[in-house]
Amino acid sequence: MRSVRLIPAVLGLATALALTATACGPTETPAADKPAAGASSSTPAADGAGGGDDLAKDLADKLKKHGVDLDKWKDGEWKNWDEATWLREAEDFVNPVIDGLWDPTRMQSAKSPDQTITAQAGTGGTDPTPRPVKAQREKTPYHRNAAPVGKIFFDSPEGHMVCSGTIVKDPRRPGKSNMVWTAGHCVHAGKRGGWYRNITFVPAYNDLGKSPSALRNAQPHEVAPYGQYWADWAVTSGDWIQRGGTNQAWPYDYAVLHVQPERGRKSLEETVGAALPVDFSAPTAAQAGTMGAWGYPQAAPYNGLIMHKCLDRATRLTTAPATPTMYRIGCTMTAGSSGGGWFRVLPNGKTALVSNTSIGPAGSNGWLAGPQLGKGAKAAHEMVSKKFAR
C-alpha cells in the first residue's frame, strides 16, 4: 500500500526534474568559450557577478590581511592548513580560481567526507528508523533528466573531496542565477577548522554515466558538459561555523554558494537552462510528504561517478536536545551525496528544494537526514543574493 501511495509524488518529482531543454547541449562544449576580455581568473565574470574588480581586490586584501600573497597562494600556498592561516570566520571566505587545477584525473581521485551519526541524543522528536530505499541510477544524459544537479569538488586537509549540489534560483537575478545549494560541511570544517579551498561546481558531471575506465578517455564535454563554476562567495550558518561536526549542529548543516564560470560570461542558470526555487516554509515531516534526494554517492558500494536518487516519505530525526528536528528518509546513498538537494512538489504543483543531504548512519547506509530550511536558511540565501544584486 505504501508504494502505491508514493506513485503520484514520485512521478511528479521525476517529471519536474526532467526540466525543459537546456540552453546548451553537451556537444556544444560551453566550457570551451574564451575567457571574457579583461577578466582575470580570480575575477567574477561580468554578467554573472557584478562588481568583479571590487571582489578581486577584496579577495587579495583578505589574503594579505592574513599574511598570504595571492600569487603564492595559487603557486601552492593554499596547501598550508596551519591553524594560524586557515580562515574560518564568516566574512573570511576566499577561493581564488586556479586554472586547470580540477582536471578529470583529479576529479576522479576525490573522496567523500564521512558525515555519520552514531546516536540520537534527543529521541523525543525521532520517528522509527525508516526502511532502506534502494537508490536508483538517474537516466542519462543527466543534462536532460536532472539538469540542476551536479558535483562539488574541494580541497581539505584530508585531500581532494567531493559533495553534491543543486542550482537554485536567485530572486534578484531572475533567469540568471549563479547560486548553488549544498551542505555546510561541504564548504566549512565547522568547529575543528575553517573554509575549505578550491571549491568548484560541475553541473551534470559525467553526463553520460560512464564507467571509471571509460571516463578516463572521455571528451571534456562528457566529463563537465557545462564546464566548471568556481565559488566566489559562500555562506553557511553561524551554528555550523561554531559547532559544526557536533550533534547540536547537524540541523544547521546547509550552505549557499555564489559561483562564476571558469570561462565565458553567461550565468550558471542561463548556461544550464534550469534552476529550482527553495522552499523556506520548513514544513513538518508529516506535511512535507514524499521527498526525493539526488546526488553522487562516492563511498562504497558506489564510485562517485553516477548520479542516483531516492524517494520516500519524510520522517523525523532529532540529533540533540533543544535542536530542530531534521527530515529523514530511507535511502542507500552514501557519503558523496552530501549536499545534494532534496525536493518536493508544492501544493501549487511546482517542485522546490526543501532540504539537502547532511548525515547518514555510522557503519551502514540505510537512511539519510537533512535540515529543515527555515528563517536561518532563508537569511543565508538572501545574503548571497543581495551581495551580487545588480
Side-chain angles (χ1 to χ4, degrees):
M1 291 298 292
R2 189 182 185 207
S3 60
V4 173
R5 292 198 300 270
L6 284 174
I7 287 176
V10 169
L11 291 176
L13 282 168
T15 301
L17 280 181
L19 298 171
T20 56
T22 56
C24 299
T27 57
E28 297 174 45
T29 58
D33 289 346
K34 295 180 180 179
S40 70
S41 60
S42 61
T43 303
D47 186 57
D53 292 339
D54 291 340
L55 287 169
K57 184 179 182 300
D58 185 47
L59 183 151
D61 288 346
K62 283 180 183 177
L63 287 174
K64 185 176 180 180
K65 172 185 173 183
H66 293 274
V68 180
D69 178 84
L70 180 57
D71 291 332
K72 290 182 179 179
W73 177 278
K74 292 184 177 183
D75 286 340
E77 180 63 24
W78 67 264
K79 298 176 184 177
N80 178 9
W81 295 96
D82 185 90
E83 289 185 8
T85 57
W86 192 359
L87 307 183
R88 64 169 277 104
E89 300 304 324
E91 67 274 12
D92 285 340
F93 179 81
V94 293
N95 194 51
V97 175
I98 302 177
D99 289 330
L101 180 68
W102 287 107
D103 59 29
T105 300
R106 198 173 198 267
M107 288 181 181
Q108 283 202 54
S109 71
K111 304 300 180 184
S112 55
D114 184 20
Q115 303 297 337
T116 60
I117 187 169
T118 56
Q120 293 98 56
T123 57
T126 295
D127 293 322
T129 302
R131 65 186 184 188
V133 173
K134 183 175 175 59
Q136 301 296 315
R137 292 173 63 127
E138 181 54 274
K139 295 178 182 178
T140 57
Y142 299 147
H143 80 276
R144 290 182 180 171
N145 293 285
V149 181
K151 286 191 75 167
I152 291 174
F153 297 90
F154 60 97
D155 279 301
S156 79
E158 289 74 37
H160 318 325
M161 310 298 283
V162 290
C163 275
S164 300
T166 307
I167 306 168
V168 295
K169 290 188 175 297
D170 182 343
R172 290 170 180 80
R173 292 179 58 79
K176 296 184 178 183
S177 176
N178 280 308
M179 297 173 69
V180 175
W181 197 277
T182 189
H185 75 258
C186 297
V187 300
H188 194 286
K191 183 179 180 180
R192 62 185 177 84
W195 293 104
Y196 293 132
R197 299 167 182 170
N198 305 323
I199 302 172
T200 192
F201 176 67
V202 180
Y205 172 77
N206 188 20
D207 194 37
L208 301 179
K210 290 179 176 287
S211 67
S213 58
L215 195 62
R216 281 193 286 271
N217 299 314
Q219 295 298 312
H221 69 266
E222 294 175 322
V223 178
Y226 301 111
Q228 298 180 36
Y229 288 77
W230 281 64
D232 53 11
W233 194 248
V235 172
T236 187
S237 68
D239 289 271
W240 182 261
I241 290 176
Q242 299 302 321
R243 300 184 291 173
T246 69
N247 285 356
Q248 288 76 20
W250 296 120
Y252 309 98
D253 184 19
Y254 52 79
V256 190
L257 301 176
H258 185 278
V259 300
Q260 57 170 312
E262 192 175 39
R263 295 288 184 271
R265 291 180 177 271
K266 277 189 175 181
S267 70
L268 177 59
E269 184 177 2
E270 287 176 296
T271 303
V272 175
L276 288 171
V278 184
D279 177 11
F280 294 113
S281 67
T284 66
Q287 293 170 333
T290 300
M291 292 184 180
W294 266 252
Y296 286 82
Q298 193 274 339
Y302 305 97
N303 60 18
L305 303 183
I306 308 300
M307 190 188 300
H308 285 74
K309 60 189 176 185
C310 289
L311 296 107
D312 195 17
R313 288 189 181 278
T315 60
R316 301 175 302 159
L317 173 70
T318 302
T319 59
T323 61
T325 58
M326 301 178 72
Y327 300 122
R328 181 163 63 165
I329 61 172
C331 184
T332 60
M333 284 199 290
T334 59
S337 62
S338 287
W342 291 26
F343 314 107
R344 77 179 187 114
V345 178
L346 303 178
N348 62 8
K350 294 183 178 180
T351 295
L353 184 144
V354 70
S355 187
N356 57 262
T357 296
S358 175
I359 51 174
S364 63
N365 62 332
W367 54 263
L368 298 175
Q372 293 188 8
L373 304 181
K375 292 181 179 179
K378 185 175 182 179
H381 185 258
E382 283 286 296
M383 284 178 66
V384 177
S385 178
K386 288 179 179 178
K387 183 176 181 67
F388 293 88
R390 293 183 65 186

